[in-house]
Every structure is written in C-alpha cells, then in structure tokens.
C-alpha cells in the first residue's frame, strides 16, 4: 500500500458552478458535499412518476402504501387522483399481503399516457392446474370487490395475472384514467344529484 506522500495528494473533485441569478452547474462533482445548494427545486412532472416499494406482507402494509401513495401523488402534482389511487393501492396491497406466502410484496406506481398504473406482485405461485388457477383468481376477485367498484367508477380496468411466468408469483394491476380518477374524488354537481 502506498502512502499519500509517495503517491501525491488525491486529485480535487472537478465541479464547475457559476453563481448568479440563474445558477448553473456542469461537469463532474465527485463529492455530494460540493454540490451547489442554491439550485432551484423543480418539482417532478406527472409523467416522471415511476415509484416502487417493497413492503412486508403484514397487516400494516396497506396503511404504509396509502401514506406513500398520497405523498408520491402530491410530489408529482397529481393530488386530484388521490382518492381513487389510495383506495386502489390499499385494496391491492391488502389482497397481496393476504395471499403472499413470503414475507414481502412489491408495489409499483406509474403515470403514463394520461393514466395511473398500479401494480402489486406477491409470491403466491401461479397454479399449473387451470381449475386451481381459476379458483384462486375467483377467490382474489371476491376479495377485490371494492377495488372493482372504484375502478369501474373511474372508467378504468384491472386484472389478475398477465405478463407473469407460472413460477414467479402473482401480478395484480389497475389502470385509472386521469379524468375518471379525478371525477371519483369529486362530489356530484348540484344538477347531477337525484
């Protein structure tokens, strides 16, 4: 091992920062402590929403998923989707935790093409027997009756399975169009009440 004196001092981090009314930053910064702190905060755009969580397959996970979803939607400027998305995330997470034989479930939130896409994966194996697979999906479907009503009210769609190899577990998903999810959280107009 060479000493620092023999090899010389390590090169200084290369950071190019220009202060002014509109600070700019270019080049490499090998140390996060040298990063400029005056840069303006640019909130993430809705289209950049792409978040994933791994949660324990436990009773507290739907609450954690709801809180995370609220925060993520607020950060991406999608608060009008909160009521529908939080309900869907909660229902899918509770179902995944109930059926997962492993200690964890995986939650994915994406916003693409004007729709919120929510996906849950659990390690419940897909059944090779078509009758067992149908019975298992029916049992999950019964568990997801509230989800079905929310997704229908949003003019969305949902499902179980698809794009999943037989031995990799179970995928449940829902797609909530922005306009439908926005309307879900709003009370009906005075003229629409009966």
């Amino acid at each position: 091992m060479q000493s620092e004196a023999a090899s010389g001092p390590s090169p200084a981090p290369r950071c190019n920062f220009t202060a002014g009314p509109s600070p700019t930053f270019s080049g490499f910064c090998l140390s996060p402590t040298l990063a400029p702190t005056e840069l303006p905060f640019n909130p993430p755009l809705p289209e950049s929403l792409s978040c994933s969580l791994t949660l324990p397959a436990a009773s507290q996970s739907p609450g954690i998923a709801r809180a995370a979803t609220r925060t993520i939607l607020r950060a991406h400027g999608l608060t009008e989707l909160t009521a529908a998305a939080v309900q869907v995330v909660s229902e899918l997470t509770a179902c995944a935790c109930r059926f997962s034989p492993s200690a964890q479930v995986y939650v994915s939130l994406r916003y693409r093409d004007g729709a919120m896409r929510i996906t849950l994966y659990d390690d419940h194996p897909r059944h090779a027997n078509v009758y067992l697979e149908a019975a298992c999906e029916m049992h999950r479907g019964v568990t997801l009756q509230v989800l079905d009503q929310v997704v229908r009210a949003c003019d969305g769609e949902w499902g179980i399975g698809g794009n999943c190899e037989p031995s990799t577990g179970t995928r449940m998903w829902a797609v909530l169009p922005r306009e439908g999810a926005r309307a879900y959280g709003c009370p009906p107009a005075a003229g629409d009440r009966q």
Side-chain angles (χ1 to χ4, degrees):
M1 187 162 126
Q2 293 182 334
S3 68
E4 186 173 306
S7 65
S10 60
R14 294 186 327 143
C15 288
N16 300 322
F17 176 69
T18 306
S22 176
T24 59
F25 178 72
S26 63
F28 288 91
C29 185
L30 302 177
S31 171
T33 59
L34 297 177
T37 58
E38 302 85 27
L39 290 177
F41 174 73
N42 294 322
L45 299 173
E47 294 77 21
S48 69
L49 194 163
S50 180
C51 295
S52 302
L53 307 165
T54 301
L55 298 172
S59 59
Q60 70 270 22
S61 289
I64 295 168
R66 286 191 300 268
T69 299
R70 283 186 195 100
T71 301
I72 291 164
L73 291 175
R74 187 177 329 112
H76 285 83
L78 293 167
T79 55
E80 72 271 13
L81 308 183
T82 301
V86 164
Q87 186 68 49
V88 167
V89 165
S90 184
E91 296 295 322
L92 288 174
T93 305
C95 184
C97 290
R98 180 177 180 190
F99 284 92
S100 183
S102 72
Q104 59 192 22
V105 297
Y106 174 82
V107 182
S108 171
L109 305 173
R110 307 275 186 270
Y111 184 81
R112 299 285 180 277
D113 302 322
M116 183 75 200
R117 300 167 192 284
I118 302 163
T119 307
L120 266 285
Y121 293 93
D122 65 62
D123 287 333
H124 182 81
R126 306 289 294 179
H127 299 282
N129 181 301
V130 294
Y131 298 110
L132 286 176
E133 183 64 25
C136 188
E137 284 190 18
M138 183 184 74
H139 192 61
R140 282 183 188 252
V142 168
T143 303
L144 295 170
Q145 289 181 0
V146 172
L147 169 99
D148 181 61
Q149 294 300 311
V150 173
V151 172
R152 284 177 191 242
C154 295
D155 294 323
E157 56 185 348
W158 70 278
I160 300 169
N163 297 334
C164 214
E165 295 298 321
S167 63
T168 61
T170 302
R171 173 182 174 257
M172 298 179 293
W173 55 271
V175 178
L176 303 173
R178 188 173 191 165
E179 292 306 315
R182 180 184 292 148
Y184 178 82
C186 297
D192 294 340
R193 294 184 186 148
Q194 296 183 5

